[in-house]
Amino acid sequence: MADLLPVNDINFTDQVMKSSIPVLVDFWAEWCAPCRMIAPYLGDIAKEYAGKILVVKMDVDESPETPSRYSVTSIPTLIVFQNGSPMDKLVGAVTKNKIKGMIDGVLG
């Protein structure tokens, strides 16, 4: 699995909001079993969509401000941002195809 770039409350604006390509943010926590379940999918997707979309992860325990701003109340929550705006969102341990479908919907 590819290591995903970790983002936090401090670098979120630079890494996600100012990105020139869409960014898939995985809101997760170390203790979250469903988060660990989907982690390999996200690594695969990061490789598969390299150059088209950036995949990052944010630990909600270490950085509570950003998840709160985007109404993240359950984890894992996946949000695709494009041009600094949230475009689509998935909550829970979803299938790899469902994640790819969301990304493809944003990429057009």
Side-chain angles (χ1 to χ4, degrees):
M1 179 184 104
D3 268 343
L4 304 181
L5 177 72
V7 296
N8 55 42
D9 286 338
I10 296 159
N11 67 10
F12 187 83
T13 298
D14 286 339
Q15 297 290 339
V16 177
M17 307 304 273
K18 294 180 179 175
S19 175
S20 58
I21 60 173
V23 182
L24 173 64
V25 181
D26 172 24
F27 292 94
W28 74 290
E30 197 67 50
W31 49 263
C32 167
C35 299
R36 289 195 302 274
M37 242 170 62
I38 68 166
Y41 305 158
L42 299 174
D44 292 347
I45 286 168
K47 283 192 204 112
E48 211 175 306
Y49 287 85
K52 294 184 200 146
I53 191 162
L54 180 63
V55 183
V56 302
K57 62 183 188 173
M58 175 174 272
D59 186 322
V60 298
D61 290 334
E62 290 176 8
S63 294
E65 198 177 291
T66 305
S68 169
R69 188 178 321 136
Y70 294 102
S71 305
V72 173
T73 53
S74 301
I75 54 173
T77 291
L78 303 172
I79 302 178
V80 178
F81 289 84
Q82 187 171 30
N83 300 321
S85 297
M87 303 302 289
D88 207 349
K89 179 180 190 173
L90 287 171
V91 179
V94 293
T95 63
K96 184 175 174 181
N97 282 341
K98 194 156 180 145
I99 300 167
K100 287 172 68 169
M102 176 176 73
I103 293 167
D104 291 340
V106 171
L107 293 176

